Amino acid sequence: MVILELVQSEITANHPFYWNGLAGLSHCKNRGIYSGEGRLRKVALMSRAKLRALTAVLTGHCVLNKFIHRMGFVNSPSCRKCVRAKETRVHLLIDSPAVCGERQIHLGDAQLDTAS
């Protein structure tokens, strides 16, 4: 047990330094999703389908009306849920009132950085 505790304390102490030193990964680093007590545990307990959907929106690797409208596949770039603004990942993660319940369940009070 002592060795495990030493390893855990070393990881806890050095993780921020290592994480911030990695190049790239801006979608993950600047979102505030994994900070806070218990948030990572909530994410780990999500179903595979919900985890895939959350990861897709967080990383921008999902089908959103703003992009498929540009390709001519849909008539409008508007959000499918609220129809108030263009459907982008930032809109879904922060602005859309239609998904605020899901957002609160999965992200809690995470402060998301919309700079990128």
Side-chain angles (χ1 to χ4, degrees), residues 64-107:
L64 298 170
N65 275 354
K66 179 184 175 190
F67 304 110
I68 61 175
H69 176 259
R70 255 191 240 156
M71 293 183 271
F73 293 119
V74 295
N75 294 329
S76 170
S78 297
C79 178
R80 289 171 267 198
K81 301 284 188 176
C82 73
V83 195
R84 291 183 179 187
K86 289 181 180 177
E87 188 177 79
T88 64
R89 69 184 181 88
V90 172
H91 173 71
L92 289 177
L93 288 169
I94 297 172
D95 301 327
S96 181
V99 294
C100 66
E102 286 287 314
R103 191 169 48 236
Q104 182 65 32
I105 290 168
H106 299 300
L107 303 179

Side-chain angles (χ1 to χ4, degrees), residues 21-93:
L22 290 173
L25 306 172
S26 64
H27 282 13
C28 296
K29 285 181 179 178
N30 297 326
R31 302 293 166 230
I33 301 304
Y34 300 110
S35 61
E37 287 287 323
R39 189 164 296 125
L40 188 56
R41 183 177 308 277
K42 278 185 182 180
V43 170
L45 294 174
M46 293 171 89
S47 71
R48 186 174 183 169
K50 286 191 176 198
L51 183 59
R52 187 207 164 281
L54 177 62
T55 302
V57 172
L58 290 173
T59 60
H61 293 93
C62 56
V63 180
L64 298 170
N65 275 354
K66 179 184 175 190
F67 304 110
I68 61 175
H69 176 259
R70 255 191 240 156
M71 293 183 271
F73 293 119
V74 295
N75 294 329
S76 170
S78 297
C79 178
R80 289 171 267 198
K81 301 284 188 176
C82 73
V83 195
R84 291 183 179 187
K86 289 181 180 177
E87 188 177 79
T88 64
R89 69 184 181 88
V90 172
H91 173 71
L92 289 177
L93 288 169

Side-chain angles (χ1 to χ4, degrees), residues 7-22 25 28-29 34-35 40:
V7 170
Q8 287 176 335
S9 68
E10 184 68 23
I11 289 171
T12 302
N14 292 319
H15 180 266
F17 176 75
Y18 173 75
W19 179 247
N20 292 327
L22 290 173
L25 306 172
C28 296
K29 285 181 179 178
Y34 300 110
S35 61
L40 188 56

